[in-house]
Structure formats: C-alpha cells, structure tokens
Amino acid sequence: MTALTDEAAPRTGAAPRGGRWIDHWEPDDDRFWAETGRRVAARNLAFSIFTEHLGFCVWLLWSIAVLNLADNGIRLSVGQTLWLTTLPNLVGAAIRIPYTFAPARFGGRNWTVVSALLLLVPCALFVYAIENPDIPYWVLLLIAATTGLGGGNFASSMANITHFYPAGRQGLPLGLNAAGGNLGTSVTQLAMPPLITAFGLAAVGWVWMPFILLAAVTAYLFMNNLTKATSAYTLREMAAGTKDGQTVVMSVLYIGTFGSFIGYSFSFGVLIKNTFPDITGAHFIWLGAFAGSLARPLGGWLADRFGGARVTMVNFLLMGLGVAAVAGSVRAASWPFFLTAFLFVFVTTGIGNGSTYRMIPAIFRARELAEVDRSDAAATERALTRARRTAAAAIGIISAVGAAGGVLIQQTFRISIEETQGIAPALLALAAFYGVCVLLTWMFYLRKVQVGQTRMSLAEAGV
C-alpha cells in the first residue's frame, strides 16, 4: 500500500525528485496503520530522535562551557555569562520558524540530513573560540549564537513526525521524539565535565562531530519523505495562525512549559553557582534536564489517557508549588532542599511539555470536526486534512514562542541577581505566571461553553 519512489522511478504526475518518497500515507486509516504505517512511522521516529538529540547537545554547549571559561583564560561577569547562554536560546527560538517549513519544502528525510550537517558549524566555531581565548567578547557572542541551529532541529523534527502518526495517537510519539531531543541537554551537561578534565574544553566541540556525520548518513539511508506533507501549510497560513486565538493561548502555555524547561536548563549551573558557591554545579546541572526529558513522554501518555487540558492545568498548579518550594529553599539556605525542589520543577516542565504538545493537534482537529457532518466521510477527511495543516503551521509558531520564553526565564533570573543579589524574587514572579497559565487553561479548554444545543468544553471534545 506504500509506494516508495526514487530518481529512477519518479512520482506519478509530479516532477522527479531524489530521495525516498512515500506517495500514499493514511495513518488515520486503521487498516493502513496496522499493516504499513506503524512500522514506517516508528523507523522515521527513531532516526528523527537521533538527529534532534544531537541538536540539543549542540544547542546547550555553552551552558556547560561557561562554567569552565575562567580556567581557559576567559573571565566574564555574571551578566556576560548569562548572555552567552541566552543568545543561543534566542537564536534557536527565531530559527524554529523557517525550520518548521523546511520539511514541507524539501522533505522530512532530506531536511533531517541537511539540518544534521549544519550542526558541524557551531561545533567547529566552538573549538576556534576555545583555542583563541583573546577574541573579543562580541565575537564570542556570535559564535555562541550559532549553536541556536541546534534549537531549530526540534521544530522541523516535530513538524515532520506529526504527519506520520494518527491524529488521536500523537501524544506518546511526539513525547518520545521531544524527550529524545531534550535528553541531549542532560547528556551534554553530564558527559562534558569528565571530558573537559581529560582532554580540555575544546573537546566539547570535537566530540559531537562524528555523531553528527553518523546522524546525517542514517537519516539519508533510513528515513522517508511524505508527498502529502509537502503541501502541509504555507507561509500565509502560518501568518494567519499568529492571529488565531488558540495559537496565541497555546503559545503562552508553551512558554510556561518548554520555555521553563529550556530556560532552567541553560541557567541551572549559574543559579547553583550564585546561590550555593561552595557546590560544584557541573556535578549536578545535568540532573534537571535529565528529569525533565524523561518526564515528557509521561506527559504525552497522560494527555492521551486523561486529556491534554486536564493534565496541563494540574501540572501548572504543581509547577507553581514547585518554584515556591525552591524559593523557600533559598531562604533556608538548604542545598538538599534546593536540589530536590528544583528537580521536581524540572519534572513538571517535562510533563507539561508533553501534555501541551498533545493539545495542539487535538484543538484544531476538534474545531474542524465541529463544523462537519461526521457521517459524511469525504467531508470528515477534508476537515482532518485542514486540521493537520493548521496544526502544523501553529506548531511552528508555538514552538518558537515557547523557546523564546526560555530567554524571558533567563533574563528574569539575570535581573533578579543583578538587582537583589539573589533569585528568590524571580522564582516568586514565575510562580505567579504559572498561576496565570492555570487560569488560561481552565478558561479556554476546561470551562464549559455553549456549542449548538449542548454545553461542553474543548476537553470533552478530546483536547
């Protein structure tokens, strides 16, 4: 049922294109999914995870490097150090917009190969920066900015994998895809300290290069392009999505979940160093991203089972309590309490990442299906196609805004440290923000509204 074409056998009715193309792809057809779709989707998911994982490894290079710059002859203030970790976050957020379109324009498999090879650029420039410690600070900032290429991989990977899975079963695979990428954060922060001790700081750049080449080769050999996905959405649709109320609300919620995860991941080492200077932060910073990454598939699974909106609202309540507990640990000057509370917060960011991402396609699916007669198979299929297009465009916007939210998290900590010499005010401000997210989730997805002759919430419609 699946037609794969290459240059020797171009797609019928279309200009020849190189690569492994799948012309017929109907994941919402139960028979197709059982006979063909599940196996092909799982294979593409596995190699997508590999490349996205390396993207996060590269994106977070400076989160561990800044803790060792002084030993390499580069001495910076706390503010300068935080900018070195903030700029990659900002660039990674901005680049998610074009990266979201790339699989539709070039094919998911083709773009995975290209995006993997692009990771060689920040790795090589990192080595140059470390081997030339006298370079100006502004050059150091530009070099750090290139690691934002790794942040873009998340958007292209998620936009691509969305098309491989049935609309009602996307929570777990999207959670696994994202978790595999997010784990790159903790892998970088865990593996780099002993590597630096053994081979020097430049090894942080060298070590990823062979893995990047392997990711490009395996994506080339084993992944697929979906013909249907090449017409997934347009720039005009994405621009229209910025005015869609659902996209706006979900962008705010994703700032609360993924923005928190990536913001805390970039900042955790600096926060430990500032709050508990006697603790060696490099020994512990990997734990946060590790806990958050492992929790992400759990969030997707819980959302598939209980509904993304319900899981998200409860999770934001827990996030608010968690950061309040971290603030309490700062006042008590208790390192064990601080570490435990912060790891709890990281876990909630992961659960929230999975549940909010599960909500996005479900929201647009529910909205489109509400407008059609479900007994009309053709109309239902058109509605599902529109929903996929709208959701894919929205994902690009939401993932970019969420990543940019990480910058806000980092800057909140920077201002708090510079103005008060501590992080407690920033933590209390974040707790208040999570309270706002609780309210938004209830208002838009759990509060019952009039739909036709009945009162129902979007959560009851499957969101």
Side-chain angles (χ1 to χ4, degrees):
M1 297 178 70
T2 302
L4 296 181
T5 62
D6 54 26
E7 290 183 350
R11 296 171 299 149
T12 303
R17 271 199 268 185
R20 295 159 52 94
W21 288 89
I22 297 178
D23 290 332
H24 177 70
W25 189 255
E26 301 296 338
D28 291 299
D29 182 317
D30 290 340
R31 182 178 177 184
F32 174 86
W33 180 248
E35 293 179 354
T36 304
R38 188 193 307 273
R39 172 178 51 82
V40 176
R43 186 182 70 244
N44 279 270
L45 174 62
F47 292 103
S48 174
I49 288 173
F50 184 31
T51 301
E52 188 189 342
H53 176 86
L54 292 172
F56 271 83
C57 288
V58 172
W59 195 17
L60 272 289
L61 285 183
W62 288 92
S63 71
I64 188 69
V66 294
L67 301 179
N68 298 272
L69 290 178
D71 296 334
N72 203 69
I74 303 175
R75 301 189 180 279
L76 304 172
S77 68
V78 173
Q80 288 176 315
T81 299
L82 283 172
W83 272 113
L84 273 182
T85 60
T86 298
L87 198 57
N89 197 343
L90 189 60
V91 173
I95 208 169
R96 286 184 172 197
I97 297 294
Y99 266 57
T100 299
F101 285 102
R105 177 64 180 84
F106 304 107
R109 171 257 199 177
N110 296 347
W111 182 251
T112 302
V113 174
V114 173
S115 64
L117 293 175
L118 285 173
L119 298 177
L120 294 171
V121 175
C123 289
L125 289 176
F126 179 87
V127 173
Y128 172 80
I130 300 307
E131 293 182 348
N132 296 272
D134 295 330
I135 61 175
Y137 177 67
W138 67 268
V139 176
L140 204 62
L141 284 175
L142 290 179
I143 291 174
T146 64
T147 60
L149 289 169
N153 280 20
F154 175 88
S156 57
S157 178
M158 295 294 272
N160 181 45
I161 292 302
T162 296
H163 293 287
F164 279 92
Y165 282 85
R169 303 177 189 173
Q170 293 182 354
L172 183 58
L174 287 178
L176 289 171
N177 191 49
N182 293 172
L183 276 172
T185 303
S186 58
V187 167
T188 292
Q189 295 173 337
L190 173 62
M192 292 308 101
L195 190 70
I196 292 168
T197 300
F199 302 104
L201 190 53
V204 174
W206 285 116
V207 70
W208 302 117
M209 295 186 184
F211 294 103
I212 290 168
L213 293 173
L214 178 61
V217 170
T218 53
Y220 179 83
L221 294 175
F222 300 114
M223 289 187 70
N224 300 102
N225 303 305
L226 296 180
T227 302
K228 179 182 290 187
T230 59
S231 60
Y233 42 85
T234 65
L235 182 60
R236 181 175 297 178
E237 285 175 302
M238 181 172 278
T242 61
K243 303 174 184 178
D244 191 308
Q246 299 296 342
T247 303
V248 173
V249 173
M250 287 306 303
S251 294
V252 175
L253 298 186
Y254 204 56
I255 288 174
T257 57
F258 183 76
S260 295
F261 171 81
I262 201 65
Y264 294 149
S265 296
F266 271 111
S267 306
F268 198 29
V270 177
L271 300 183
I272 293 173
K273 186 175 182 179
N274 178 267
T275 310
F276 297 93
D278 295 333
I279 299 296
T280 304
H283 294 167
F284 299 97
I285 60 174
W286 66 275
L287 288 170
F290 182 73
S293 300
L294 291 184
R296 184 155 188 163
L298 174 62
W301 178 80
L302 288 171
D304 280 341
R305 180 162 183 155
F306 301 108
R310 296 183 182 92
V311 174
T312 296
M313 190 180 79
V314 172
N315 190 71
F316 275 126
L317 284 169
L318 295 176
M319 290 181 74
L321 293 173
V323 293
V326 174
S329 74
V330 172
R331 290 197 189 93
S334 171
W335 163 246
F337 185 16
F338 177 88
L339 181 61
T340 302
F342 228 129
L343 290 182
F344 175 80
V345 172
F346 268 107
V347 168
T348 59
T349 66
I351 292 173
N353 284 338
S355 64
T356 51
Y357 231 81
R358 158 65 169 75
M359 289 173 67
I360 299 169
I363 287 168
F364 294 104
R365 184 172 186 266
R367 190 168 71 180
E368 290 292 343
L369 290 178
E371 302 295 327
V372 300
D373 180 0
R374 298 293 294 274
S375 64
D376 186 336
T380 299
E381 178 60 29
R382 288 194 297 271
L384 289 173
T385 299
R386 288 194 303 271
R388 284 183 179 276
R389 291 170 63 94
T390 307
I395 280 173
I397 299 168
I398 294 166
S399 69
V401 174
V407 176
L408 298 178
I409 301 290
Q410 291 172 275
Q411 291 303 301
T412 299
F413 283 123
R414 181 186 64 80
I415 293 169
S416 180
I417 290 171
E418 291 182 345
E419 296 296 327
T420 71
Q421 314 308 310
I423 64 172
L427 292 167
L428 295 178
L430 289 167
F433 171 63
Y434 298 143
V436 172
C437 290
V438 169
L439 182 61
L440 287 174
T441 306
W442 176 79
M443 285 183 60
F444 285 91
Y445 305 114
L446 292 168
R447 182 171 61 96
K448 290 188 176 183
V449 295
Q450 194 70 30
V451 179
Q453 301 300 312
T454 63
R455 286 179 60 80
M456 64 180 295
S457 67
L458 276 177
E460 293 172 325
V463 174

